[in-house]
Amino acid sequence: MAQLTHLNEKNEAHMVDIGGKAATRRTAKAVGTISMNAQAFEMLNSGAAVKGDVLGVARIAAIQAAKQTGFLIPLCHPLPLTHIRVDFETDSQSRSVHAAVTAATEGATGVEMEALTGVNIALLTIYDMLKAVDKSMIINNIHLAEKTGGKSGDFRFAEQGEAV
């Protein structure tokens, strides 16, 4: 059984010591979706949202959030990120936006939390900007899609939640 790295020998929460680990290239991609009513989806696509360019603001919010992860999640290390990419794909049939955030670093620990934080904040920003016309938007399916590098090796999410 795998050991939880944020617990010490007394089962107390602690920050993992990464001081002796080699710095390597590490990437992580997280994804998630927000679905909305027809009016909100039309406003998003037409640029008619009162607060402005919804996806543009959500992209900047995701980047800012990924950069702040070490300050938001108590046991995360602040990381020098080398790249953050934010992609959106709209689906008119389901009236949804699929968000993907990819984070990268050259460091001694992974960037999964940065990618996951970024995608959460991107989706929450979309909600915030469109909530005047749809308070029933649903954010779902947020998960780590893939990661590369590090001691645990590469990971790719499969539909059943199994690593590939």
Side-chain angles (χ1 to χ4, degrees):
M1 179 181 257
Q3 295 293 317
L4 297 177
T5 58
H6 286 92
L7 296 178
N8 66 15
E9 63 281 350
K10 296 179 184 177
N11 279 340
E12 299 165 331
H14 73 106
M15 191 172 198
V16 175
D17 181 359
I18 60 170
K21 293 172 71 177
T24 60
R25 172 110 174 123
R26 297 159 187 265
T27 66
K29 178 180 179 181
V31 298
T33 302
I34 185 168
S35 56
M36 61 199 68
N37 68 24
Q39 183 182 5
F41 192 75
E42 172 58 30
M43 291 179 94
L44 176 131
N45 282 315
S46 68
V50 176
K51 292 186 176 183
D53 175 12
V54 174
L55 297 182
V57 173
R59 178 173 286 106
I60 297 302
I63 292 167
Q64 286 181 321
K67 291 167 41 176
Q68 295 299 313
T69 300
F71 301 102
L72 296 170
I73 300 176
L75 300 178
C76 282
H77 294 82
L79 298 180
L81 297 174
T82 57
H83 183 67
I84 302 167
R85 178 181 172 136
V86 182
D87 295 301
F88 296 108
E89 184 177 311
T90 59
D91 181 339
S92 57
Q93 187 171 11
S94 65
R95 295 186 318 268
S96 62
V97 178
H98 179 76
V101 174
T102 304
T105 191
E106 297 279 337
T109 192
V111 289
E112 297 92 345
M113 297 309 297
E114 287 71 15
L116 285 161
T117 299
V119 81
N120 273 280
I121 297 303
L123 296 171
L124 286 169
T125 300
I126 293 168
Y127 183 96
D128 178 54
M129 293 188 72
L130 296 171
K131 70 183 179 218
V133 295
D134 184 6
K135 289 180 179 44
S136 64
M137 288 178 275
I138 298 172
I139 295 172
N140 63 13
N141 203 24
I142 296 169
H143 62 277
L144 180 66
E146 60 189 59
K147 79 160 209 79
T148 64
K151 181 180 172 183
S152 64
D154 295 351
F155 167 85
R156 172 159 273 157
F157 183 86
E159 281 305 309
Q160 297 297 320
E162 300 289 326
V164 176

